[in-house]
Amino acid sequence: MFSRSASRTLSQARQFSSSASRQTKVTVLGAGGGIGQPLSLLLKLDPHVTRLNLYDIRGAPGVAADVSHIDSASEVTGFAADKLDEAIDGADVVIVPAGVPRKPGMTRDDLFSTNASVLRDLASAIVRVAPKANLCIITNPVNSLVPIASRVYEKAGVYDPKRIFGISTLDVVRATRFLASVTGNDPADTPVTVVGGHSGETIVPLFSQSSYGKGVTGEAYKKLVHRVQFGGDEVVQAKAGAGSATLSMAYAGAKFANTLFRGLAGEKGVITPTFIRSPLYVDQGVEYFASNVELGPNGVEKIHPVGPISAEEEELLKAALVGLKSNIEKGYKFIEA
Ligand code: NAI
């Protein structure tokens, strides 16, 4: 069912969880949606998860009843719209795909006004009920919503930047898959680091750091970068009004969550790109940035710098920083209004 790298991850998780036996209580907010449903299914299969609470403003009890019949160890409970606090209570990890997705012709930024309010309200409940939970944000625009959530925590006096993550894993998954399409190699052998943010030009794939990727040059390289940056549009157009990526995103969300669970359980050397509060480009006015991050029992353990990059990637990074600065400011402006 899973790719070689994915099944390797899950089997490592199984081996590790049997020795560490850490309990991980997970809540999904937006569990009834296009991403939420398959994500809940994949989380039910993750051996780290012992309790899975599913919440949505509509449909979560039905999804929970369905998923709960799968024969893995975790207990699944569904929560109706008026049971948000109960759904969050005691969570170690809260994953949020709640909100509205894109339709053809829309950018992630077009989702801002609806999703910013959704995220602000959900974050306000989390700071009240489970302020120490690790918050993983899937809802777009991630580049603006992570700053909004962070301010909600700051205002409540419970901000821990090591525990708030924007999930940019789909960009890593796409870069890895699309590179494999060009080089013909197994994606498991061609992992690609993606830094910056999660939308259009803020997405910076570092093909020069991949043994296969550095061989792709000229027009082929330009096309590949464009496909990674705007790959989401392929899905939005193909779905023709029925939404954006859901299945690949659920896979990416579960993959990131598994990495986080392993870090929280004390496994060493667990590293993945994720969009977090980061000191790397603060001197250029960019307070949040995705780069490789080592995860551990307290969330973020170590933020890795971008490392050596090509001249083309330097240019991509410059453009990404401009975009990120404005996305972050937009988030701050919303929450301070
Ligand atoms: P969807 O519309 O199928 O599902 C969203 C769900 O959120 C619905 O079930 C809805 O009832 C629920 N919801 C809305 N407001 C809520 C609230 N206040 N509390 C709880 N639940 C609420 O949308 P889909 O396709 O699942 O996408 C969700 C979000 O994920 C969108 O913002 C989309 O842009 C984003 N996304 C992020 C990606 C990433 O790489 N980070 C990739 C693809 C999508």
Side-chain angles (χ1 to χ4, degrees):
M1 178 169 62
F2 292 99
S3 71
R4 190 142 59 86
S5 70
S7 48
R8 199 187 297 148
T9 307
L10 281 177
S11 79
Q12 279 168 350
R14 276 193 199 99
Q15 278 168 14
F16 194 76
S17 70
S18 56
S19 57
S21 76
R22 189 184 189 279
Q23 312 277 302
T24 311
K25 299 187 189 107
V26 180
T27 299
V28 180
L29 303 179
I35 295 168
Q37 293 199 33
L39 175 62
S40 301
L41 166 67
L42 294 172
L43 291 169
K44 180 73 175 99
L45 304 182
D46 191 308
H48 284 95
V49 179
T50 48
R51 190 198 79 180
L52 183 58
N53 282 357
L54 305 183
Y55 172 85
D56 199 296
I57 50 171
R58 55 168 193 272
V63 176
D66 193 352
V67 167
S68 73
H69 289 192
I70 290 168
D71 57 351
S72 60
S74 50
E75 292 294 337
V76 184
T77 313
F79 294 84
D82 59 342
K83 296 280 185 281
L84 176 59
D85 286 12
E86 290 91 327
I88 298 167
D89 193 24
D92 300 303
V93 176
V94 179
I95 308 178
V96 186
V100 289
R102 288 192 290 159
K103 295 207 161 45
M106 288 173 90
T107 65
R108 292 178 182 85
D109 208 35
D110 294 331
L111 305 172
F112 183 85
S113 57
T114 307
N115 289 353
S117 307
V118 168
L119 208 275
R120 177 200 55 207
D121 296 349
L122 293 176
S124 305
I126 300 166
V127 297
R128 227 178 340 96
V129 181
K132 291 193 182 310
N134 296 275
L135 172 60
C136 307
I137 299 171
I138 291 175
T139 310
N140 273 316
V142 167
N143 294 355
S144 303
L145 297 195
V146 171
I148 288 176
S150 302
R151 277 285 197 265
V152 171
Y153 279 67
E154 267 174 326
K155 284 183 179 186
V158 293
Y159 183 42
D160 178 357
K162 293 181 173 161
R163 294 196 182 273
I164 301 181
F165 308 90
I167 302 194
S168 56
T169 314
L170 184 54
D171 304 320
V172 175
V173 167
R174 284 184 178 137
T176 302
R177 178 56 250 170
F178 298 164
L179 174 62
S181 304
V182 172
T183 62
N185 286 95
D186 184 333
D189 301 329
T190 55
V192 177
T193 299
V194 182
V195 301
H198 172 68
S199 84
E201 279 141 9
T202 69
I203 299 170
V204 181
L206 301 181
F207 289 115
S208 72
Q209 293 180 358
S210 142
S211 51
Y212 293 102
K214 66 173 113 172
V216 183
T217 56
E219 269 314 298
Y221 170 76
K222 281 191 189 139
K223 267 197 198 155
L224 188 57
V225 169
H226 186 270
R227 192 165 181 219
V228 173
Q229 291 186 325
F230 298 94
D233 295 356
E234 289 178 19
V235 183
V236 171
Q237 278 152 21
K239 289 197 175 178
S244 57
T246 54
L247 302 173
S248 50
M249 181 58 233
Y251 166 78
K255 193 169 177 157
F256 176 78
N258 179 262
T259 311
L260 178 60
F261 301 151
R262 284 163 44 213
L264 292 175
E267 189 177 329
K268 296 282 175 221
V270 178
I271 297 171
T272 186
T274 173
F275 185 72
I276 53 161
R277 184 82 170 238
S278 170
L280 292 182
Y281 295 97
V282 168
D283 60 345
Q284 296 183 51
V286 175
E287 291 178 51
Y288 301 81
F289 189 84
S291 67
N292 268 328
V293 168
E294 185 165 346
L295 299 167
N298 300 309
V300 174
E301 288 294 325
K302 188 173 173 206
I303 300 171
H304 290 252
V306 160
I309 60 176
S310 67
E312 284 116 320
E313 288 161 356
E314 288 283 2
E315 289 305 308
L316 293 176
L317 186 58
K318 256 190 227 158
L321 291 172
V322 173
L324 277 172
K325 192 160 188 274
S326 114
N327 293 161
I328 293 163
E329 274 163 11
K330 187 166 180 173
Y332 279 164
K333 218 162 148 194
F334 168 85
I335 200 73
E336 257 120 52

